[in-house]
Amino acid sequence: MDDIEQELEQIQTEPELAVFHKNYLSKTGKLTMMLAGLKDMLAEQRAEAGKRLNELKRKIEIKFFQKQAALRAKAVNEKLKQDPLIDITIPAINQTQGSLHPITLITRRITEICRSMGFLVVDGNEVVSEFENFDAVNIPSDHPARDMQDTFWLTNGKLLKTQTSAMQNEILKKYGPVVSAIFPGRCYRNEATDARHEFAFFQCEGMMVGKDISIANLIYVLKTILSEVYGKEINVRLRPGFFPFVEPGFEYDASCPFCNGTGKGCNVCKGSGWIELGGCGMIHSNVLEMAGVDSKQYQGFAFGFGLTRLAMMQYAINDVRLLNSGNLEFLRGIKR
Ligand code: FA5
């Protein structure tokens, strides 16, 4: 029996191994036949011989499978050496797994919360028309607000959207007049970059239109989303602010989740206890009418905030430019 083991050990190729299998382990192989022959033995010898034979077959089988795995690995490695094609289905060797980008994580969290509140999540285009980005949100061509949001123009007259508000018209036309939706997306602005400004960044916008929608609903929705994101009660305060597409319009702040609004020694809110998040307000009647919504019957609110800024706060990132840098060292250092 030692001969069988020795024979197996000397095998160097997969075809030789297949012959070995046929000779010993297949249905007609010697070991299988010997086991089948047990039935002709005397009963008193059968038990002992059967035990030894089964043990041997099991041992040979284990060695056979080990040999098979080793020969397969050797064959694959040899093939890979000759053939530069890479099999991307083979798990990486000695490499750490990738992980989700902070922007993806924060976007998923917000959309999950808003979905649970009944909001549609709409995926918007990055290339939009001048009408969608500006005119449809009450920023006609001679409006000074256009200068504040210069962007990248395409040769076909379209542009890279400067704000998620560019989606409002399309969503109202498609799903209105009664609709609750959020629409996160990448925005672009032609501006000098610094630690807080990028030319490509993410915003998230929310909108609720229907009958009897009020500022109280707006505050409640903002408060609920933020409290869910931070896992604690967050207060929201509105300050008068101007955005051409809302009337009245506000800037809104959240009580700082990192110092619980106390401001004490907090370098996130710089001691104020509040964090500026974005703009909001009741959607301007011109915006509703331009989307075919009767502003006498329906009204609603819209809010927008910087997803990028939210991610920076959440993951203690002090320079926005790191997020687009593709720097693996930075990404690995983030505590998710
Ligand atoms: C707007 O873009 C409005 N559309 C928001 C809005 C929506 C108001 C609905 C009213 C109703 P603003 O330009 O302030 O507003 O931008 C909103 C947020 O986007 C900012 O608070 C900031 O967090 C983020 N943001 C703006 N520009 C940049 C930039 N260059 N880099 C990174 N984040 C930016």
Side-chain angles (χ1 to χ4, degrees), residues 236-249:
V236 169
R237 88 178 170 188
L238 306 189
R239 293 174 282 113
F242 176 71
F243 299 93
F245 34 92
V246 282
E247 179 58 38

Side-chain angles (χ1 to χ4, degrees), residues 26 29 95 116 120 126 130 146 153 171 187 196 199 227 261 263 286 298 316 318 335:
S26 68
Q95 276 188 17
S116 76
L120 279 176
E126 289 183 20
E130 184 176 348
R146 285 217 177 185
W153 292 79
I171 292 173
C187 303
R196 286 176 62 78
F199 63 85
S227 300
N286 288 354
Y298 299 96
N318 58 15
K335 290 197 180 60

Side-chain angles (χ1 to χ4, degrees), residues 139-241:
I139 312 178
S141 55
D142 56 355
H143 198 289
R146 285 217 177 185
D147 299 340
M148 289 152 66
Q149 295 191 8
D150 185 23
T151 182
F152 303 90
W153 292 79
L154 280 70
T155 46
N156 62 6
K158 293 203 167 193
L159 55 115
L160 297 183
K161 74 167 178 259
T162 62
Q163 49 182 351
T164 40
S165 307
M167 293 294 298
Q168 285 189 10
N169 183 267
E170 189 187 327
I171 292 173
L172 283 171
K173 278 181 182 155
K174 196 163 172 188
Y175 302 104
V178 177
V179 59
S180 305
I182 62 151
F183 26 112
R186 201 197 308 259
C187 303
Y188 299 82
R189 290 188 193 174
N190 179 12
E191 55 188 343
T193 59
D194 60 29
R196 286 176 62 78
H197 295 90
E198 252 294 19
F199 63 85
F201 56 96
F202 287 83
Q203 283 188 344
C204 181
E205 185 128 344
M207 187 167 75
M208 184 182 277
V209 177
K211 291 195 169 168
D212 306 322
I213 305 287
S214 69
I215 294 172
N217 300 136
L218 164 65
I219 295 174
Y220 179 79
V221 166
L222 286 174
K223 219 171 127 66
T224 309
I225 296 175
L226 292 165
S227 300
E228 284 295 319
V229 169
Y230 290 106
K232 57 172 81 168
E233 183 153 357
I234 301 289
N235 285 317
V236 169
R237 88 178 170 188
L238 306 189
R239 293 174 282 113

Side-chain angles (χ1 to χ4, degrees), residues 3 5 9 20-21 31 107 113 119 184 195 222 229 257 317 324-325:
D3 296 353
E5 276 186 75
E9 264 162 34
F20 177 91
H21 186 268
L31 285 171
T107 309
I113 294 165
F119 281 74
L222 286 174
V229 169
I317 299 164
N324 287 347
S325 67

